[in-house]
Amino acid sequence: IKQLKEDMDRIRQLYRTKGFYLAEVAHEVKVEEATNKAWVYLRITEGAKIRVRRIDFVGNKTLSARRLRKAMATKKGWLFLAGYYRPEVLEEDVERIRRLYQADGFSDVQVKSQTLFDERKRRLTVTMTIEEGPRYLVGEIGLKGVRQLDPEELKGTLKLTPAKPFSQEKLSQDVAALQSAYFAKGYMAAAVEPATVLNPATGRVDL
């Protein structure tokens, strides 16, 4: 009986992870007297999917809740918007918010999601907890080993600029742009290797 109860709890939990918070699992045991064998039947009522009632944010000091909600695929249910809770989409939303912060210079940002189900109202509240961490700005930008092309012209193609937020994604784009500039001039063997250093004097990321 204990094992059966644990199995039923696991099934309920599995349905919860798929957004079916109202799923019910019942069981029925039938004993075959001739063989003395017991047959266990599980009856599952999936119920309706749960709608998101509210999306809250904690710890977002720099980016507004409105901007963060706009970046999320999970939406609050209202009027003609279903707003169904989908765990896999919420996981993707955590990554979306993380990338949004990282693009704004918060390379160390931590984002976690938590859900609270209201049994009475049958609605779900989503809370996104954010630890922003320090904001990194771009410091000095130097190009070493440039002999065949104009360094200032190359700098003009970069997305990262001094005093602006540092972004690993933009750095990757700048590396690709520099590589393309050399390829366009016929230097197919040219290699671009980025190096970043946190300057303790300025608190900025020198490139």
Side-chain angles (χ1 to χ4, degrees):
I1 296 299
K2 180 182 179 182
Q3 182 63 51
L4 177 58
K5 184 179 182 302
E6 291 177 353
D7 290 341
M8 292 170 64
D9 288 340
R10 276 194 289 268
I11 292 174
R12 291 190 191 95
Q13 186 58 35
L14 178 61
Y15 268 95
R16 277 178 171 259
T17 62
K18 300 299 182 182
F20 292 91
Y21 271 73
L22 302 179
E24 297 180 357
V25 183
H27 74 280
E28 182 181 358
V29 180
K30 292 184 177 181
V31 179
E32 190 177 89
E33 296 182 0
T35 60
N36 200 32
K37 290 183 178 181
W39 299 87
V40 178
Y41 297 89
L42 296 180
R43 184 172 60 256
I44 301 173
T45 305
E46 292 183 340
K49 277 195 170 185
I50 297 303
R51 293 188 177 188
V52 176
R53 182 171 67 92
R54 197 170 72 235
I55 301 176
D56 296 332
F57 297 92
V58 177
N60 57 312
K61 301 175 183 178
T62 306
L63 302 186
S64 68
R66 181 178 180 180
R67 183 178 177 185
L68 296 177
R69 286 194 187 96
K70 189 175 180 180
M72 295 175 62
T74 298
K75 304 295 182 184
K76 181 178 70 173
W78 67 289
L79 295 180
F80 303 107
L81 185 64
Y84 290 128
Y85 168 61
R86 295 172 58 192
E88 70 279 7
V89 174
L90 185 58
E91 289 180 11
E92 295 170 358
D93 285 335
V94 169
E95 186 58 30
R96 288 187 182 96
I97 292 177
R98 183 181 293 112
R99 287 199 302 266
L100 192 64
Y101 266 96
Q102 290 174 341
D104 209 29
F106 295 90
S107 299
D108 302 330
V109 66
Q110 299 292 322
V111 184
K112 296 180 181 179
S113 67
Q114 184 178 7
T115 58
L116 180 64
F117 179 58
D118 189 325
E119 295 280 356
R120 184 174 62 86
K121 295 183 178 180
R122 298 192 172 187
R123 289 290 188 270
L124 196 76
T125 297
V126 174
T127 302
M128 308 295 283
T129 302
I130 301 163
E131 294 181 18
E132 294 183 341
R135 189 184 198 186
Y136 298 105
L137 300 180
V138 177
E140 297 181 359
I141 299 178
L143 298 177
K144 294 183 179 181
V146 178
R147 298 182 180 86
Q148 306 300 328
L149 302 184
D150 182 358
E152 294 305 316
E153 184 177 335
L154 289 175
K155 284 185 179 181
T157 66
L158 302 180
K159 293 182 178 295
L160 291 176
T161 55
K164 296 297 183 180
F166 170 78
S167 164
Q168 189 66 45
E169 182 179 356
K170 287 184 179 179
L171 177 60
S172 299
Q173 293 173 356
D174 285 343
V175 169
L178 292 174
Q179 195 89 54
S180 296
Y182 270 94
F183 288 170
K185 296 294 183 179
Y187 298 97
M188 309 307 293
V192 180
E193 297 180 2
T196 60
V197 177
L198 181 61
N199 190 325
T202 63
R204 298 186 176 186
V205 179
D206 292 338
L207 307 175

